[in-house]
Amino acid sequence: MLWLERRIVAALAGPDDQRTGGAITEFVDTSFRTMPQHLRAGVVGESILLGAYVRLRRGPNPSPAAIVASMEQWEHHPIGVIRQYARLLSSLVIFPQQEIVDG
Amino acid sequence: MTRTIDTEVLVIGSGAGGAVTAARLAEAGRSVLVVEEGPWFDPDAHEPSSLEEFTARWRHQGACAALGSPGIAFAEGRCVGGSTEINMGLYHRLPAHFAAEWRRKYGIADFDDATLDRYATDIEKTVTVSFLPGEAPASSAVLEHGADALGWKSTEFARVFAYDDKGHGTKQSMSRTMIPKAVAAGAIIQPDCTVLKLNRSGRRVTGATARLGYADGSSELVTLRADQVFVCGGAIQTPTLLQRSGFRHNIGPGLKFHPTVKVAARFSHPYDHDEVPVHRVTEFDPFLTIGGSASRRGHVALAVADAAPSDLDRVLEEWQNVVVYYAAIRSSGSGRVRALPGLRAPLVTYGLTDSDLSRLARGLVHLGEVLLAAGAVELFPSIAGGPIVRSREDLGQWWTALTRSRSNLMTVHLTSTVRMGDASDLTGTDSYGRVWDTDNLRVNDASLLPDAPGVNPQAAVMMIAARNADAFLST
């Protein structure tokens, strides 16, 4: 996973991920590694561009709250691929997070 | 020098098409090798629709989508038994009017009602098609009650389920039915074997080049040599392999989905979550079907997060009160599968039409009407940002809210990328699945269906696979 992807997963799943030995991070990481390469390439491109934007706006070490705020903005962004990026990342975290809580 | 494995018949893929083909041919005395890209699990190894099942049996862990406006997420199984291992087990014969329409338009021989009924009856004996032995779970009865209140038609769909004396049901996927039948008749099943391309010599296919994986993580390149080859990888993988092997005539276009929208319905008291609802609202068949979905905590969370991320924690406090339902349409749009040079996964695109979007909005509103009539107190649609609906008067908002940019669509039914029929300008194979301009290469899976059937396609796939296998045996 890239810098921004790790930050997003940590911000959305932090305590749950630590409690489960990184199971949520592992699920997201495996999803990225197994998804079709052309889709992954698109996600990588967005992670690099949005990661640069986040570093510029919020500094090299943004807080989890700042990352969550960025995600909320992107979920309603006028550009479709940015909305889809935010939805993909949050879906990849929410499903394992809730399944693990349930388990 | 690669190792060579010889067989009379090579079946690539072990889902509803491949497993039926293998069982049929092996029982007729043919030497059959089935190669499956995914692993071979005990059917009871994973809880249905669980995180573990996603990781083990779903291709790409479920993270795959057709590109388009909007993109549409889709799911495929990747294990012995294919998508029959991950679906809900709903069983519905191919509606007769579609068979008649396809027969006329695509010139499909031996596709009359009597022939299809004979094969459907035969298949049903093996896979155990049944209804619930007792009362329907409350999550399923919701649809019946809602439809009754509105004066709409509804029904319980049959499933490929076997029930014990205590009423406990077990899904009769391919790994419980056709695969054991094929093995008992002498077929060899080779899991973890990815076919890279078919090998050709003029009009004949001599077999395939494949990569065979081992438990220690190593792999071996092998040559599979066969007299006859059946490609049964499903509507995405089959055209990809054929294109990669140089077959292109009507291979890949015409992809059909049943685009689906979902609603998470919150009730005032807890509901069951162990089984997927089996009732369907059939008032708007065949263009629109309303039913129930998997509703584990993770599914509920995903469904609510679409509409109202800020309400997620509140709703999850009583997540047992929430059940997820869907509306699926027959689409007038279509898509395409394209193999990409150097990449394993194909590019899948789908063009949703304006009338599809309108039909989906109508489906969403009707679904909302049923759920409110059955007692739901709060509805969360698969629309980014909602709106959440609490009364029938509010449902009208969904008509305008379901736009290309805000809708969140998915499908589990994929068909029609290598259509069959003697009208060669429209089809990729003849009436029995033989690829045009080849002598011994056949397709036998959901790719062959000329159009989406408006219902779960598994029954149609199995019936057609059996019919085509018999046609092959008679040549």
Side-chain angles (χ1 to χ4, degrees), chain B residues 101-426:
Chain B
E101 184 187 318
W102 297 353
R103 185 172 63 234
R104 273 195 308 274
K105 183 171 178 185
Y106 298 95
I108 308 175
D110 295 334
F111 211 64
D112 56 280
D113 293 351
T115 304
L116 297 179
D117 282 351
R118 180 159 48 84
Y119 280 105
T121 304
D122 190 36
I123 289 291
E124 287 159 17
K125 280 183 204 152
T126 303
V127 296
T128 316
V129 177
S130 56
F131 291 92
L132 290 168
E135 210 171 292
S139 63
S140 188
V142 155
L143 294 169
E144 188 180 24
H145 296 157
D148 286 349
L150 295 166
W152 292 352
K153 286 182 283 188
S154 70
T155 188
E156 179 195 335
F157 269 14
R159 293 190 297 174
V160 283
F161 264 61
Y163 292 91
D164 62 19
D165 295 343
K166 293 175 183 161
H168 177 259
T170 307
K171 187 173 75 173
Q172 301 300 291
S173 61
M174 291 302 100
S175 67
R176 286 188 199 275
T177 55
M178 293 294 175
I179 294 289
K181 213 165 140 66
V183 170
I188 294 168
I189 314 293
Q190 178 60 64
D192 304 308
C193 185
T194 305
V195 173
L196 304 174
K197 75 179 194 52
L198 302 171
N199 301 325
R200 300 176 65 173
S201 175
R203 288 175 57 91
R204 291 190 65 78
V205 170
T206 58
T209 302
R211 183 166 292 284
L212 187 52
Y214 295 102
D216 64 2
S218 65
S219 66
E220 174 192 15
L221 210 57
V222 292
T223 300
L224 308 170
R225 207 159 51 193
D227 296 332
Q228 305 288 339
V229 176
F230 286 79
V231 183
C232 308
I236 303 298
Q237 307 309 319
T238 286
T240 306
L241 177 61
L242 292 177
Q243 288 177 11
R244 199 167 279 151
S245 308
F247 300 98
R248 299 204 169 269
H249 177 69
N250 287 334
I251 306 291
L255 173 66
K256 282 290 186 175
F257 285 168
H258 289 147
T260 301
V261 284
K262 292 191 174 181
V263 169
R266 190 171 72 79
F267 296 88
S268 54
H269 55 277
Y271 274 68
D272 56 284
H273 288 78
D274 293 337
E275 288 224 39
V276 169
V278 294
H279 279 88
R280 296 286 176 275
V281 177
T282 52
E283 177 73 16
F284 312 101
D285 275 3
F287 297 105
L288 170 62
T289 305
I290 288 171
S293 229
S295 297
R296 295 171 62 93
R297 184 183 171 113
H299 302 114
V300 167
L302 282 178
V304 172
D306 273 345
S310 55
D311 287 292
L312 189 55
D313 290 342
R314 169 181 69 85
V315 176
L316 286 178
E317 280 175 20
E318 293 182 319
W319 78 271
Q320 291 92 341
N321 294 14
V322 184
V323 186
V324 183
Y325 296 89
Y326 72 81
I329 62 161
R330 268 195 99 223
S331 163
S332 59
S334 68
R336 179 179 279 269
V337 176
R338 291 182 183 89
L340 296 171
L343 299 183
R344 284 274 303 281
L347 175 66
V348 181
T349 53
Y350 200 87
L352 198 78
T353 64
D354 287 341
S355 81
D356 287 341
L357 202 61
S358 171
R359 195 172 283 169
L360 281 163
R362 183 176 162 221
L364 203 58
V365 170
H366 286 331
L367 174 55
E369 288 175 302
V370 168
L371 294 170
L372 290 173
V377 294
E378 205 170 33
L379 304 178
F380 301 85
S382 56
I383 300 173
I388 301 168
V389 159
R390 296 181 181 86
S391 71
R392 199 165 174 179
E393 293 70 44
D394 295 340
L395 281 170
Q397 299 173 71
W398 286 355
W399 278 105
T400 47
L402 190 81
T403 60
R404 289 180 188 274
S405 62
R406 291 176 62 192
S407 62
N408 196 350
L409 309 183
M410 57 83 62
T411 187
V412 291
H413 299 161
L414 322 162
T415 63
S416 315
T417 46
V418 191
R419 293 170 169 142
M420 64 179 186
D422 291 338
S424 61
D425 55 328
L426 299 174

Side-chain angles (χ1 to χ4, degrees), chain B residues 430-446:
Chain B
D430 69 11
S431 286
Y432 304 99
R434 186 174 56 82
V435 175
W436 292 119
D437 302 322
T438 68
D439 292 334
N440 65 336
L441 174 62
R442 289 170 175 80
V443 170
N444 216 10
D445 61 22

Side-chain angles (χ1 to χ4, degrees), chain B residues 50-80:
Chain B
S50 64
L51 182 65
E52 293 74 26
E53 188 189 80
F54 268 73
T55 305
R57 300 190 196 196
W58 291 54
R59 186 176 293 278
H60 310 304
Q61 289 196 161
C64 198
L67 301 184
S69 175
I72 301 177
F74 64 83
E76 296 174 279
R78 185 181 169 276
C79 57
V80 170

Side-chain angles (χ1 to χ4, degrees), chain A residues 3-81:
Chain A
W3 176 83
L4 180 63
E5 295 162 353
R6 282 197 305 274
R7 293 282 173 154
I8 291 172
V9 173
L12 297 180
D16 285 330
D17 202 28
Q18 286 159 19
R19 200 166 51 241
T20 58
I24 298 168
T25 299
E26 188 185 330
F27 180 82
V28 179
D29 188 39
T30 308
S31 294
F32 281 150
R33 280 190 283 107
T34 57
M35 76 195 306
Q37 299 100 318
H38 58 281
L39 296 183
R40 177 60 182 143
V43 174
V44 164
E46 288 191 81
S47 292
I48 291 169
L49 290 174
L50 293 172
Y53 171 79
V54 168
R55 283 181 205 239
L56 275 173
R57 286 288 306 273
R58 303 185 189 272
N61 195 22
S63 66
I67 293 288
V68 170
S70 295
M71 283 286 281
E72 283 169 1
Q73 277 181 2
W74 296 337
E75 278 172 8
H76 302 285
H77 199 278
I79 298 174
V81 290

